[in-house]
Amino acid sequence: MEHFDYIIAGGGCAGRSLAVRILPYIQASNKRVLLVDYEEKKSNDRTWCFWEEHPDVFEPAVYRKWDRLSFASKFLHQELDIKPYQYKMIRGLDFYAHTDQLLADQPQLIRLQGKVEKQYTEKDQAYVVIDGKTFSADYVFSSIPQVQEKKPDRYQYFLQHFEGWLIETEGNTFDQECATLMDFNTSQQAGTSFVYVLPLSSNRALVEYTIFSKQELAPEDYSAALQQYIQEQLKCMQYTIIEKEHGVIPMTDHPIKRQQERIIYLGTAGGFTKGSTGYTFRFIQKHTAAIVKQLMESGHPNLPAISSPRFALYDATLLHLLDSERISGEEIFSRMFEKNSARKILKFLDNESTLLEEVQIFSTLQKTEFAMALLNRTIKIMSNS
Ligand SMILES: Cc1cc2nc3c(=O)[nH]c(=O)nc-3n(C[C@H](O)[C@H](O)[C@H](O)COP(=O)(O)OP(=O)(O)OC[C@H]3O[C@@H](n4cnc5c(N)ncnc54)[C@H](O)[C@@H]3O)c2cc1C
């Protein structure tokens, strides 16, 4: 049986992020890593948007970035000063090509295309079965989705589902310097929904219709919402659709096992998708960087939690509010952006705010609704544990 120091099971965003970050460590310590995925990753299957203060290792793959964002709803229209952050966009295809390049010709990193059929720990070893063949490792880092039985009586399950069109218009439709983070000027009937617009030039933009709800929509409903937004809000009657993207991201407060003995979960499989927003990219980067730092310092990758459990309570509270219909997502986000600096909100959504900043943000929101939802979720979490 072939043995590796580490096996990275799943070579999507999280697996590749770890593989790139771990390279200097395995070179210095003469370790061997196997990276396995059943896909070749040659298509532009997603676009990542995120904000960050300082350029990170994937800066060369950034396709566009913006210093200015805007927020719109029927209550508020505001330009957001996001300094010291920049809002960035990485296209899936560029990320895969860039990481393929960084990981090429690395004799200590072996790549394999195959299906992971099983992962398990026995004694002090982890094992991965790939297309019928078993490999062993000191540790497995896995972003293969975990199968988790839903418990709707205890936890909340939402979907963030979206369709985006890369469009080209005839005139100069877009301000290239300012991306729209959220525009709620779209129907709120089927759930909290908004559109974001990422301008790539004055006549090209990715326009993405996003909805938080329990069920996906029929394909024609996404198209209808996008058409309506482009015509009524962007005032654009003539345009060509160049590319389409569709996606579903789970939003839940169901805790996910982050480690099972010698298997450490990464990415969405490890619960690094933020329950109330679906943002994952930056959480993956922070987690994989922390793993490598821990390896360098101690030689083992076991980590304490990388953010405080109170953020899980806030996510659960927001999901509860979205579900309760006492108050709309549009009202919550409008009040949040109206009364707080964008910097403070982005820091909060990154799980990096201080308790004082969180109290300041909550004091500006709809207090009765938030207090009731917070209490409801605190009781639920306590009765679940
Ligand atoms: C369309 C879309 C857009 C998104 N946009 C954003 C965004 O703008 N910002 C943000 O922060 N987050 C975004 N997300 C959420 C999140 O960042 C991504 O889903 C991200 O790719 C998660 O990384 P991951 O490594 O956990 O999963 P993935 O990137 O999906 O990687 C998992 C890998 O495991 C492989 N795999 C699965 N099962 C097996 C198996 N049995 N054997 C072998 N290989 C297997 C898959 O082929 C895949 O490559 C988006 C998600 C989607 C779907």
Side-chain angles (χ1 to χ4, degrees), residues 313 317 372-384:
L313 174 62
T317 302
M372 283 172 66
L374 195 71
L375 184 66
N376 176 298
R377 284 300 111 184
T378 308
I379 293 169
K380 200 81 185 164
I381 288 171
M382 283 164 70
S383 63
N384 284 344

Side-chain angles (χ1 to χ4, degrees), residues 29-297:
S29 55
N30 205 21
K31 307 251 184 212
R32 287 173 76 232
V33 173
L34 175 70
L35 171 62
V36 55
D37 198 296
Y38 56 30
E39 284 183 1
E40 248 195 300
K41 302 289 197 192
K42 297 287 181 208
S43 69
N44 197 30
D45 60 357
R46 63 201 60 188
T47 305
W48 289 289
C49 288
F50 58 96
W51 54 88
E52 64 186 2
E53 220 177 315
H54 306 291
D56 196 4
V57 288
F58 297 114
E59 186 69 14
V62 170
Y63 188 66
R64 285 285 185 283
K65 50 189 176 185
W66 299 269
D67 293 317
R68 281 162 47 218
L69 293 179
S70 71
F71 175 94
S73 71
K74 59 176 171 296
F75 309 104
L76 180 72
H77 197 294
Q78 191 148 304
E79 200 167 284
L80 309 172
D81 172 10
I82 60 167
K83 273 193 227 73
Y85 297 106
Q86 281 190 310
Y87 197 67
K88 302 185 179 180
M89 165 184 178
I90 295 184
R91 301 186 319 159
L93 200 55
D94 296 338
F95 178 82
Y96 302 135
H98 180 63
T99 47
D100 278 343
Q101 207 181 6
L102 294 175
L103 299 174
D105 304 322
Q106 299 289 344
Q108 285 160 260
L109 188 131
I110 316 300
R111 296 191 59 179
L112 187 62
Q113 196 176 343
K115 181 170 186 201
V116 173
E117 291 163 346
K118 199 172 166 192
Q119 319 170 80
Y120 60 98
T121 293
E122 236 172 52
K123 298 197 179 120
D124 281 345
Q125 296 274 286
Y127 298 88
V128 179
V129 181
I130 304 166
D131 294 333
K133 195 171 165 200
T134 307
F135 297 83
S136 62
D138 291 354
Y139 283 93
V140 169
F141 299 102
S142 175
S143 51
I144 312 279
Q146 294 190 62
V147 182
Q148 204 177 28
E149 195 197 326
K150 285 192 177 171
K151 295 184 176 152
D153 52 324
R154 299 169 75 170
Y155 304 113
Q156 310 169 92
Y157 301 91
F158 270 78
L159 297 174
Q160 177 179 143
H161 42 117
F162 43 88
E163 176 148 321
W165 291 353
L166 175 62
I167 60 166
E168 193 167 277
T169 64
E170 285 188 348
N172 290 338
T173 313
F174 308 106
D175 173 359
Q176 295 180 62
E177 307 304 324
C178 184
T180 305
L181 181 68
M182 290 174 142
D183 184 346
F184 284 91
N185 286 302
T186 178
S187 165
Q188 303 294 311
Q189 289 275 304
T192 293
S193 47
F194 57 89
V195 174
Y196 64 83
V197 183
L198 305 174
L200 307 179
S201 70
S202 59
N203 71 335
R204 247 185 197 228
L206 178 65
V207 184
E208 194 123 353
Y209 170 67
T210 304
I211 173 159
F212 299 168
S213 69
K214 296 207 166 149
Q215 307 285 342
E216 286 186 61
L217 303 179
E220 59 273 21
D221 294 339
Y222 300 97
S223 303
L226 278 164
Q227 269 167 10
Q228 190 178 6
Y229 184 85
I230 294 167
Q231 289 178 3
E232 291 178 10
Q233 301 301 323
L234 299 178
K235 312 267 181 259
C236 182
M237 304 301 155
Q238 298 290 326
Y239 59 91
T240 313
I241 302 171
I242 296 166
E243 246 174 58
K244 286 187 179 184
E245 126 174 330
H246 181 83
V248 182
I249 305 176
M251 294 168 73
T252 181
D253 53 359
H254 191 152
I256 295 182
K257 236 182 240 146
R258 298 209 155 162
Q259 182 161 1
Q260 266 173 318
E261 295 163 67
R262 292 201 164 237
I263 303 174
I264 295 174
Y265 291 98
L266 309 174
T268 301
F272 290 92
T273 292
K274 188 167 169 68
S276 61
T277 63
Y279 279 110
T280 318
F281 188 85
R282 280 294 302 154
F283 292 100
I284 286 175
Q285 301 316 322
K286 287 191 268 187
H287 182 223
T288 51
I291 289 174
V292 174
K293 184 167 180 276
Q294 179 76 346
L295 279 171
M296 286 180 161
E297 286 171 4

Side-chain angles (χ1 to χ4, degrees), residues 285-355:
Q285 301 316 322
K286 287 191 268 187
H287 182 223
T288 51
I291 289 174
V292 174
K293 184 167 180 276
Q294 179 76 346
L295 279 171
M296 286 180 161
E297 286 171 4
S298 69
H300 71 78
N302 304 312
L303 279 181
I306 62 164
S307 66
S308 160
R310 67 180 190 276
F311 291 102
L313 174 62
Y314 304 152
D315 288 334
T317 302
L318 196 59
L319 287 181
H320 183 72
L321 281 169
L322 294 179
D323 202 21
S324 70
E325 292 176 4
R326 284 175 62 89
I327 184 170
S328 69
E330 181 179 15
E331 286 170 276
I332 295 170
F333 284 106
S334 300
R335 182 78 76 89
M336 202 184 269
F337 280 102
E338 185 186 358
K339 305 278 182 192
N340 298 280
S341 69
R343 181 189 158 274
K344 197 187 279 176
I345 298 169
L346 297 182
K347 198 174 164 201
F348 171 62
L349 296 179
D350 261 347
N351 296 1
E352 287 179 356
S353 46
T354 62
L355 193 54

